[in-house]
Amino acid sequence: MSQSAAGGEGAPQVLPEGKERQRKRRRRKKKESKTRLVRSSLLLPEVEPDKSKRTVLACNRLKTTKYTALSFLPKNLFEQFHRLANVYFVFIALLNFVPAVNAFQPELALAPVLFILAVTAIKDLWEDYSRYRSDKEINHMECLVYSRNEKKYISRYWKEVRVGDFVQLRCNEIIPADILLLSSSDPDGLCHIETANLDGETNLKQRQVVRRFLELDSEFDPLKFTSVIECEKPNNDLSRFRGYIIHKSGKKDGLFKENLLLRGCTIRNTEEVAGIVIYAGHETKALLNNNGPRYKRSKLERQMNADVLWCVLILLIMCLFSAIGHGLWVWQYGEKKKPIFDVPGPDGKYLSPVLASVYLFLTVIIVFQVLIPISLYVSIEIVKICQVYFIHQDKDLYDEETDSQLQCRALNITEDLGQVQFIFSDKTGTLTENKMVFRRCTVSGIEYSHDDNAKRLAMYQEPDSEEEEAAPKGGTLSQRDSICSHQSIKVIHRSQSTKTHRRTGSRAEAKRASILSKHTAFSSPMEKDITPDPRLLEKVNECAKHLEVMRSHEQPLTHLSPELCDVFDFFIALTICNTVVVTAPNQPRQKVRDRFELKSPVKTIEDFIRRFTPSRLTSGSNSSSSSSLATSKSMHRFGLSTLSSTSTDSTLLKLEEKLAYSAQMNNNGYSSQQGKMAVGGAPEEGELRYEAESPDEAALVYAARAYNCSLVGRLSDQVSVELPHLGTLSFEVLHTLGFDSVRKRMSVVVRHPLTDEINVYTKGADSVVMDLLLPCSSDDPRGKHQKKIRSKTQNYLNLYAVDGLRTLCIAKRVLSKEEYGCWLKTHLEAESSIENREELLFQSALRIEKNLHLLGATGIEDRLQDGVPETIARLRKAGLQIWVLTGDKQETAVNIAYACKLLDHDEEIITLNAESPETCAVLLEQCLQCVESKFSNTIDGATGSMTVGFTPLYPPSSSVLSSLGLVIDGRTLAYALEPALEDKFLALAKRCRSVLCCRSTPLQKSMVVKLVRDKLKAMTLAIGDGANDVSMIQVADVGVGISGQEGMQAVMASDFAIPRFRHLEKLLLVHGHWCYSRLANMVLYFFYKNAMFVALLFWYQFYCGFSGSSMIDQWYLIFFNLFFSSLPQLITGVLDKDVPAEVLIAVPQLYKSGQNMEEYQPHMFWMNMIDAMYQSLVCFFIPYFTYYDSEVDIFSWGTPIITIALFTIILHLAIETKTWTFLHWSSCIFSIVLFFFVALVYNASCPVCHPPSNPYWTMERLMGDPMFYFTCIISPVVALLPRFLYRTLQGTLFPTQLQLGRQLSKLSPETRTQLLTELNVKETICQTRLFADSFSPSLGSNASDCYKANNQSTPLPTSPQTRESLFREHAKAEHKTNQTVAASPPGAVLYEENKLPSSASSMERSMGLHEIRCGTSEVESLPVGTTFPWSSAVDQADFSLLKWITSTPLFSHIGTVLQVSSSSLQNETQDSMCVLGSSLHVDFKGLKEESSNNFQDKMKGTPTDHCKNDNSETTFL
Amino acid sequence: MAVNYSAKEEADGHPSGGVGVPGGGAVGGGGGGAVKTRKPDNTAFKQQRLPAWQPILTAGTVLPAFFIIGLIFIPIGIGIFVTSNNIREYEIDYTGTEPSSPCNKCLNVSWDSTPPCTCTINFTLEHSFESNVFMYYGLSNFYQNHRRYVKSRDDSQLNGDNSSLLNPSKECEPYRTNEDKPIAPCGAIANSMFNDTLKLYRIDNDTRTPITLIKKGIAWWTDKNVKFRNPTGDGNNLTALFQGTTKPVNWPKPVYMLDPSEPDNNGFINEDFIVWMRTAALPTFRKLYRLIERKNNLQPTLQAGKYSLDIAYNYPVHSFDGRKRMILSTISWMGGKNPFLGIAYITVGSICFFLGVVLLFIHHKYGNRNTSADIPN
């Protein structure tokens, strides 16, 4: 989708002068409030009427700091008090200052709150200081600003740049502000920028000088700039800029985003540019886009907050109870006989019982405040930061190749990783590499299978898998060299990036961008070295030869045979129908400057040669390479004429060499070819590099280059193509209609240099392009031929899709001058309009992209990333539902889904394709019924136009769920997501093991995620790599970005960024699980600890007349949580591992504990509370009875209690700790030692301090008392006995999965491996058995296969078909062709009929997707549940499939249903909806050899797994 | 806590500056030296592979613990129990709520009744008290741990601070001043000081032999010598030193006249006063009153026989249903008589032992299962 984001940028703005007037007429009413006026700052002040207004504009100083030295304290405190907990604790602390209620020494009570506030403040201060330093560095970067006094550009700091200043930038400089481009050293007024810092896209983008300034003859002089620029107010939309420039003369020019240089980008390929600053500093688009870190609240935290509220409630109850108790206690003594220990108020009067209880209420709130854990929030923050640190440090999440590691962008949702239930994944770039490799193509109806290319690709797999070998093989040496050279470049590049990143204000982003540019800047050899298909290569050469002959004989091109013509055009289209920028290797980011003087179309090659002049070669660093290029070209051209006759041979020779050493090929056909053909051994120049906006484009250009049709240069209005025999042809590019996701295609309008015709080359999704073809009559032979070509191409397209290739159709249209002129008029209007320009351009594109002539189609492979199938399998075992949401077409998506084991061949697939909301509703209803009926063990649910190949024999069990897959296309998804249907859709999807949404838009993606998140209340994780996934990533609970090929938008929006999809496995299964279990345990422990501690005080209230007295010294009371008991729990929260990583990976099922919230269920809070109550009772009453009626004083009695409590709390943690490292040991010991140390020092420090407790010598005396030790030993034992016993019994009698996993890790490695193997075998057996029971590898035919095959030979009637007729046809055809087809796995595949490969010329293409008539609900039931003797069925000649189905008892239901539905079908003719079962395993060979009867042969070619193969064989025999 | 975290970091030997800043935490460890990679260090700490002990709580593994606890606790319990049983203790409630009690007449005394109401209670010791005997007074239902009561004192005044003497802490309110004179010692605790006088006589053939009650050494040594001090000034005349202060409201005599018999035991360092000032933890408590030392090795400290207790009944407890007791007790290494802890140890030890047996049974029955079989697919 990067295409959509950046597609239009390269579009040249060819605006003839005459159109200016039109534009002026459409001048819109300006609204002062919505626009900004920018004038030159060089103008004298009196020329500026509204100076006051200008001062409002932001200067370029970057200030990301939050505080100043003065404002820090108040502002930081203010921010901290936004947290409710802080307010609460400060309130409590302040309450202590009220004498009537104070419980502690007021100053002391403030201490913990101040401590926590201070820690946070110091953290904030440090962060702010580092921001300040980086700001300072950026602000003091220098750039050239025009000075009025000096009359030249002088160096200034960035911070001094103001709006209206003129800035001059040189190559590789970073743009300091948003600048309107007014002049460029480029003769075409172009400027290339790299936006990696902004969006991570590393390709170069073109920017253009404002039109009128381009036409200036003299050099741009800022002093003469008197125009006023009116533009939008600053906004954060990177892809939009609108405004106009008003010249002194009153003329206006429109300004577009092509004219704007954005802050943070880097100037590339352009010597010098100058412009006026439009937005500066914080008003630049880059900074407006730079949002702060995101704050998400994790699920666990939400649950925790609920429990904190419970704690508040408990606290209030306890306080109320105490208050009432105290009231009664006071009341019982009456007015008269006041006891001597009841102290009256300072005025000597006793409080009334009511007033006393009110005061006491407040007092006990202070005393019991610990119940609301003050340190909980701080502790959780610390633990999460440490967890993030450890995730970050995991070397398994580091990708060697890209030198990138996992990045946590959200610090506070680590534990959510352990609770994910749904994964929503993008496909391209996420599951796949997004490294597009050209695989095969079809031109003019002939398929070129590129077998050698496939072999070559297979060879790349091996180095992938074998990691790195010590010494590179001889063959790959050259590759490595080239890689090395890239790296040296990257070093420079990176050092630039590290400097540049700061402008955008965010460090991490820039770092990532630099990695990214490192590995995406240039394609890997795998993508570049394409082995051409010999047949096609021959044709290309032949064609070129013809052309050469024709050129020399001045013959018109039409004499070429149509096929060769198509071949030629096909490659021209591949080469030029894109926005690829060519760069030379030795000068990174330098555009190849082989520009030739060209203002009018070139008629002939001679003309061309005449015009060839090196004068426009740019001077400077890259001139040498360009001139050498030019030289070699001229040499080449000379050589051509002499060598033309032998070139074919040499090419073939070359080809053979390539096949032999395909891995050795340093780069490509281009350079080697060049080397061979250039007579005189011209110095071999470095290869050209192609920088494309999307990898597909590059792949196609590289493919064309393999056929010697290389793109050698691209300028805004001209593309140079190097052709065999013909030399360099320059196409004048008239328009580029960029890719967008609505049109799903892009086009270029060029003037053909050979024919001087105006050609439109269109490249786009087959579904779209096929509908735009020129309708051809079936009458004339040419038209018939065309039709045949189309249907063949469509066939191949389908096969490509089935093979998981990305398909693109290439088409061409020849425009007459008149047509073009007519279109041009409207187009220019559209281009020049300021309002809804996009819309008009879109319309305009629609007008020219029609009546196309199909040239061919390409299949590009997007290889799966390493380990994707395994990862998906494990994640699924872990109980995660994986939904794939992709923009790809259905067939491609389905096949990738099979390839990555998302869909299983033994899985039944429900496919939903509906054309209207009504059908969608019906369909959903039926599917639901089907699925539900399955559970009631009946199959009568299979009704209507929908068939599901459910098995009646299959026992209803939960595992049934896992055998369903749902495939839904974008349009149906749109209907299904409507409020009326979403519940049904969800109900259905919930039951499916995997869901695949094809052709979905970014918005739909996010809607799906939102639906699941909100309706199912499930934890969702969205993973994606492109801009189209951003909304989905933002909506999901956990957003994961893949820092891959497609820029940084996804990463920017994500919470976690990982280098590869496979890293998700460890991230979720290990780290997610750990983080969740650690944090859950810690939170529970926290509640327990505080409750237990507070309960001690509460019990004491019964023995002190509910007076709010505490037996524990206030120092212990206040610092207990902060110092004595905090460290062990932090260590455990950070480092505890309930199950070792190996086991978690080996047994993914353990992940389910997190999903089910097993570690922290609501009842566990209460269990912990009850346990805390019990433990506190023990810890209170054992000392109570021990010291009952003794001479013990309060604090000599309280100190043992707190000691016991500390022991109990730490031992409790010890029971809960699963892994003991020396850190755990030392933290526990440290805590206890710290307590005694502090107590001893404190108790010996000051005889008169610390009123009222004055614990002088208490601890010292206690430690000399044996009773103290006896009490301290028995109490924790008694307190922890129940929990210890419970844990023991649970571990023995009802072990949880996690405990089993833990036990597994205890076993010796051999035993463990053995057990795990057994486990897996068991699983497989279990599956296979179920599978065998239910699906009984139903041999028989893959009905759709047959169907497809039939269609090739049997024309289908065009009229709407009923199912019966279709089946009959089908069966008949089957018999006729006697085609034995591969076994079909049970399952249902929906197939839109018009998508089926059909050679039937009667099939109207124009019906297309929009008006499918014949496709009305095909229902096909597949043999499932029984072993079906297909061969016999085939033998029975006149047996219709339907009859067979109905005759089979098991399927009688379906049969009837089918009949019923067939009648109902008639009503729904318009809304096509089709159903078919099965996954398609079609192999290309098999289809080519249509007559082949050999089943075994077919099976070999079938890309199913061997198991499948065996299954089929057995059954067949 | 943040401090603790970094301490942990250092303990591991991998100080890393990037703890708080993800993205900045990569420590370059590239082998090439010049080329810094982001590859995380492969250390046990960072990869969370520290050597660890992973106990698994099952019947089999915890069995020994239960038996060990049982085997240790039961002997300890028996030891404590026996020791506690060997302690002789005798207790007399002399509150006088029952009409038959000799002290019944004094039930409604006021603080400063002169002459004091006296009563005598005769009692008989069944067993002789062999070792040193501690004489306590006990109060019940007396909330000396009341929050405001506990606070109502001025430690610096009691420590002899001259400025606090004349200007006691606000905490002492409303017992801070009386008639514009600062109270010494101030506060509710001091004001409510126990002021009954107990005298013990041995009745041997109708002759009452007074038993020597030692009043020194009943307070903590640190209290007597460090915490409590008389005000300092010229000379040792306490009366002069307490010049300008007044006695607590309920006291009949000022603080420097607490013990007429011994001048050293007056003022804030009066041991009865110090003992009282150490506020009791629970509403039922006892405080050491006097010591009875064993004279020689031949005779027990208190022989079995008849004794009488003379009480100068000054301390009113009837108004709040308090009780007053006199306790005679020998003590052991574990303090006074209290069978609770011994019983607790024996009980817990037995329970643990029993649980050990149960777990042994469980272990034999269920402990040997193939655990992995339970992991469902």
Side-chain angles (χ1 to χ4, degrees), chain A residues 1039-1056:
Chain A
V1040 179
I1042 294 219
S1043 41
Q1045 315 264 329
E1046 269 214 54
M1048 300 305 293
Q1049 283 107 316
V1051 171
M1052 305 266 216
S1054 67
D1055 303 316
F1056 298 89

Side-chain angles (χ1 to χ4, degrees), chain A residues 541 544-545 548 551 640 643-644 647-648 677 723-727:
Chain A
N541 280 316
K545 239 188 296 177
E548 205 258 342
R551 175 177 58 86
L640 255 178
L643 272 180
S644 59
S647 64
T648 319
M677 289 164 78
L723 286 165
H725 308 288
L726 291 171

Side-chain angles (χ1 to χ4, degrees), chain A residues 102 337 386 393 403 1078 1100 1103 1107 1109 1137 1185-1186 1189 1193-1194 1220 1254 1270 1292 1297 1303 1306 1315, chain B residues 5 38 40 47-48 53-54 59 145 147 151 155 278-279 281 286 319 325 338 345 371-372 376-377:
Chain A
N102 71 341
K337 40 173 195 172
C386 297
Q393 287 300 321
D403 188 30
R1078 286 166 180 174
Y1100 189 57
Y1103 298 97
S1107 62
S1109 191
K1137 293 190 284 186
F1185 285 117
T1186 308
D1189 190 20
D1193 66 295
I1194 293 192
W1220 286 86
N1254 196 351
F1270 284 121
T1292 317
Q1297 306 238 322
Q1303 290 176 13
K1306 278 286 203 179
L1315 271 174
Chain B
Y5 180 75
R38 287 149 181 269
Q47 301 304 322
Q48 307 188 56
W53 173 56
Q54 292 172 298
N145 55 12
R147 183 172 62 89
K151 281 199 298 187
D155 279 317
R278 189 161 278 279
T279 51
R286 59 177 73 169
S319 64
R325 292 163 297 148
N338 189 342
Y345 264 94
T371 49
S372 74
N377 298 307

Side-chain angles (χ1 to χ4, degrees), chain A residues 538-610:
Chain A
E538 201 174 340
K539 275 183 192 160
V540 174
N541 280 316
E542 193 185 330
C543 167
K545 239 188 296 177
H546 276 292
L547 284 174
E548 205 258 342
V549 171
M550 281 171 204
R551 175 177 58 86
S552 52
H553 293 91
E554 302 281 337
Q555 283 174 337
L557 277 170
T558 42
H559 289 208
L560 211 58
S561 83
E563 194 201 332
L564 287 183
C565 208
D566 278 357
V567 169
F568 182 74
D569 276 330
F570 179 76
F571 282 105
I572 293 294
L574 286 194
T575 317
I576 66 173
C577 185
N578 50 44
T579 54
V580 171
V581 175
V582 186
T583 57
N586 48 350
Q587 302 280 310
R589 302 307 195 188
Q590 298 289 311
K591 185 167 71 173
V592 173
R593 288 264 161 204
D594 55 337
R595 175 160 178 101
F596 311 108
E597 202 63 61
L598 180 76
K599 282 296 168 189
S600 65
V602 185
K603 300 284 189 297
T604 61
I605 296 292
E606 279 77 11
D607 185 21
F608 175 73
I609 293 169
R610 227 181 309 118

Side-chain angles (χ1 to χ4, degrees), chain A residues 877-892:
Chain A
K877 257 198 208 169
L880 289 155
Q881 269 204 51
I882 302 172
W883 293 27
V884 170
L885 311 173
T886 175
D888 273 352
K889 61 186 287 187
Q890 191 162 322
E891 290 78 5
T892 315

Side-chain angles (χ1 to χ4, degrees), chain A residues 35 449 1244 1259 1366:
Chain A
T35 57
S449 60
M1259 197 59 169
L1366 194 87

